[in-house]
Amino acid sequence: MWKRILAIIALFYLFALLQNSFFVHYSLLGAVPDLVFVLFFGLVFVPIKNLRYFEIGGAYRIIFLAVCAGFFMDTFMYPYLGPSIISFLIIGFALRRVQLVLLNKDGRYPFLYFLVIFIISLLGYYMLLGLIANRLSPFKFLAFFPPKIIFCIIYDSIFATVFFYIYNAMYKINFNARQLRLFR
Amino acid sequence: MFSVPPSGRFNHKTVKNLENFSLNKKSNAWIKFLIAGFLILFLVYILNLSTSPVKNYFFAISSPIQKLMWTAGASSSLYFGSFLNAGSLARDNKYLKEENQKMLFQLSFLQSISRGNQEFSQISAVNQNRGFDVVMAGVIGLEANDVLSINKGSADGIFDGMPVINEQGVLFGKTSKVYKNFSEVILLSNKDSIINVKIQKYQDDQMIPAEDLPPEISGVVRGRGGLSAYMDLIPINTDINLQDIITTSSMEKVFPKDLLVGRIIQKYADDQKPFQQAEINLFSDVSGLENLFVITNYKQAN
């Protein structure tokens, strides 16, 4: 377990450095991929078998991921420490709640749900960041929105897709049991 | 405590005990949740009290890796970019040749002016230079909201509000948060950046002679984020052209005048408004950027 914890911390650190220094030169019309957010979202979204929301392993896992990801994000990307940590905490718990609501035995199109929830979470993250960094001023919730948000979403979605399929292939997780059947 | 009766049936007392146990379990979970939330907020508070040493420590240990990644990203993006932009290379080459010829013409024209006004030029040059001291800093990262990180800080004589340029005299921005071993530079494209500028006029690809120069057209350059900016507060009755060069003006207190800022690529004029705007292309390009120079004594000289 400790190896996994250290590996996750190292991954967040590496992704923060890549986002801050390497992918700056591969910006898409000014949009730089949010690799730390992609990794955080992917690690929270991936279901843990037989692990319910209020179990210690579930909530504490989200807290650990949020603190880790938020700390590196704030250190390398933003002037203050804390807004990303709090934003990730809110996003993480909201995401798990959404997943519980969507819980069903049968389901289809798991990638589509992943992508839609990812985009909504990304927008929610930027809004929370703007609110928290500006002391909950309602007029500033768009302050951290990238100017070309659509390119940001597209760019981040590409990396999220790559993460989704790599993780799926590595651990052969069956997502079908946890998705709502919308298309019959 | 919750023993099952021999009959296998639960009496009222047992049911009540079970309900209380369930409620206690839920309230315990909420209590743990609240304690965890409080601890996290406390952690955030402590982190914010020690933001400078924490960030300085992480940037100090990450600086070599960041520098390596920055250089790798710059060189690899140039390599891949050459494949993607092959079609525009010929066009860019032609444009650069024309620019070169224009510059040569202006150089010869300026030389003739300087011969005629040598003393005046010398005084202007001395005033402009004023013996600026610069500190060279390596670029290590680009943060959100168009803030650049450089690997020099207060230990190297850098303080808040110092102008940052490159070797060609292109203005990039100014230092904002300065730590012991690294600093943050607010770029001109940052949403909070506003600087006073003026427009250098060109006419028919030739520089206008000194006696025919129109009054200086002033305005401000505002950052829009995403490494882009625009020019605002241009008087509506002034005539601006595409490709006009924008430089810092003498009204600007933070930055020296006549530093290159950008070029006009599109203009927006509405007769109902007192000012017009223009879309600009900043000369301060971060891709491929290795080093910047911080002017450390401009404010003192000013």
Side-chain angles (χ1 to χ4, degrees), chain A residues 14-33:
Chain A
L14 176 67
F15 275 36
L17 290 177
L18 283 171
Q19 178 179 334
N20 183 249
S21 301
F22 184 83
F23 280 100
V24 167
H25 304 284
Y26 289 90
S27 64
L28 182 68
L29 293 172
V32 178

Side-chain angles (χ1 to χ4, degrees), chain A:
Chain A
M1 185 183 105
W2 285 107
K3 282 184 193 172
R4 194 177 287 183
I5 288 173
L6 287 172
I8 289 173
I9 293 172
L11 261 179
F12 276 123
Y13 181 46
L14 176 67
F15 275 36
L17 290 177
L18 283 171
Q19 178 179 334
N20 183 249
S21 301
F22 184 83
F23 280 100
V24 167
H25 304 284
Y26 289 90
S27 64
L28 182 68
L29 293 172
V32 178
D34 273 318
L35 298 179
V36 174
F37 180 85
V38 168
L39 183 64
F40 167 78
F41 181 88
L43 290 175
V44 171
F45 186 87
V46 170
I48 304 295
K49 194 177 177 184
N50 298 326
L51 192 65
R52 294 191 307 173
Y53 179 69
F54 283 110
E55 291 288 333
I56 287 177
Y60 286 8
R61 180 168 166 269
I62 292 172
I63 290 171
F64 162 70
L65 289 174
V67 169
C68 203
F71 174 75
F72 286 117
M73 193 68 136
D74 283 335
T75 300
F76 289 103
M77 296 299 286
Y78 301 112
Y80 304 107
L81 297 175
S84 288
I85 295 174
I86 298 171
S87 303
F88 279 136
L89 276 170
I90 296 171
I91 295 283
F93 281 109
L95 178 61
R96 292 303 275 179
R97 175 58 76 182
V98 164
Q99 282 187 296
L100 283 173
V101 167
L102 293 179
L103 180 65
N104 200 342
K105 286 189 180 174
D106 194 9
R108 282 180 246 170
Y109 310 112
F111 171 68
L112 184 64
Y113 296 134
F114 173 85
L115 196 63
V116 169
I117 296 172
F118 173 78
I119 291 171
I120 293 171
S121 301
L122 185 65
L123 293 172
Y125 167 67
Y126 286 131
M127 274 197 284
L128 282 168
L129 208 58
L131 278 172
I132 294 166
N134 289 288
R135 294 173 190 167
L136 302 177
S137 168
F139 302 106
K140 294 276 188 177
F141 76 96
L142 291 177
F144 277 76
F145 259 65
K148 291 166 184 167
I149 184 73
I150 186 70
F151 296 108
C152 225
I153 291 171
I154 292 169
Y155 211 173
D156 288 342
S157 300
I158 293 170
F159 282 93
T161 305
V162 170
F163 174 90
F164 177 86
Y165 282 108
I166 288 175
Y167 203 96
N168 204 4
M170 278 171 66
Y171 291 99
K172 295 188 174 23
I173 291 167
N174 180 15
F175 283 89
N176 288 335
R178 298 181 74 89
Q179 300 304 324
L180 182 66
R181 189 195 303 175
L182 289 179
F183 305 101
R184 292 178 185 268

Side-chain angles (χ1 to χ4, degrees), chain B residues 92-285:
Chain B
D92 289 342
N93 194 26
K94 181 173 177 289
Y95 175 75
L96 284 169
K97 278 182 182 171
E98 287 169 2
E99 279 287 298
N100 191 32
Q101 288 166 3
K102 190 165 64 177
M103 293 298 152
L104 286 172
F105 171 79
Q106 290 166 4
L107 182 63
S108 65
F109 185 75
L110 282 170
Q111 281 172 345
S112 70
I113 290 179
S114 79
R115 274 195 294 275
N117 301 286
Q118 198 162 1
E119 290 178 15
F120 203 64
S121 299
Q122 281 176 348
I123 290 171
S124 297
V126 167
N127 281 340
Q128 177 63 33
N129 289 332
R130 297 190 190 179
F132 289 146
D133 292 337
V134 293
V135 171
M136 189 172 88
V139 179
I140 57 174
L142 179 68
E143 300 179 18
N145 295 338
D146 296 49
V147 173
L148 215 57
S149 306
I150 56 175
N151 60 3
K152 293 282 168 66
S154 57
D156 306 287
I158 294 176
F159 298 100
D160 187 19
M162 289 181 169
V164 179
I165 60 174
N166 71 354
E167 59 269 22
Q168 279 93 29
V170 172
L171 179 64
F172 273 71
K174 65 177 181 180
T175 53
S176 60
K177 288 192 183 302
V178 178
Y179 303 95
K180 188 179 170 195
N181 300 113
F182 84 99
S183 308
E184 292 177 357
V185 176
I186 292 185
L187 295 174
L188 298 180
S189 53
N190 183 283
K191 286 179 186 176
D192 296 327
S193 169
I194 303 176
I195 63 169
N196 288 300
V197 295
K198 61 182 182 187
I199 295 176
Q200 295 276 74
K201 295 296 295 176
Y202 288 94
Q203 189 173 5
D204 297 333
D205 292 337
Q206 297 174 7
M207 194 166 177
I208 300 172
E211 58 272 17
D212 295 333
L213 274 174
E216 224 172 59
I217 300 175
S218 61
V220 296
V221 163
R222 294 181 195 267
R224 186 184 273 130
L227 302 174
S228 66
Y230 66 101
M231 192 166 171
D232 198 2
L233 302 181
I234 309 167
I236 192 70
N237 56 352
T238 55
D239 183 32
I240 58 173
N241 300 315
L242 301 184
Q243 303 303 317
D244 279 348
I245 303 292
I246 302 164
T247 58
T248 50
S249 75
S250 51
M251 289 170 61
E252 181 54 52
K253 298 300 176 196
V254 176
F255 304 110
K257 63 176 183 175
D258 295 330
L259 293 176
L260 291 171
V261 173
R263 188 193 295 271
I264 293 178
I265 55 173
Q266 199 171 355
K267 49 182 183 174
Y268 309 103
D270 185 350
D271 291 335
Q272 313 236 338
K273 293 181 182 175
F275 297 105
Q276 52 182 320
Q277 292 181 339
E279 197 67 36
I280 68 171
N281 193 20
L282 288 170
F283 289 139
S284 52
D285 187 12

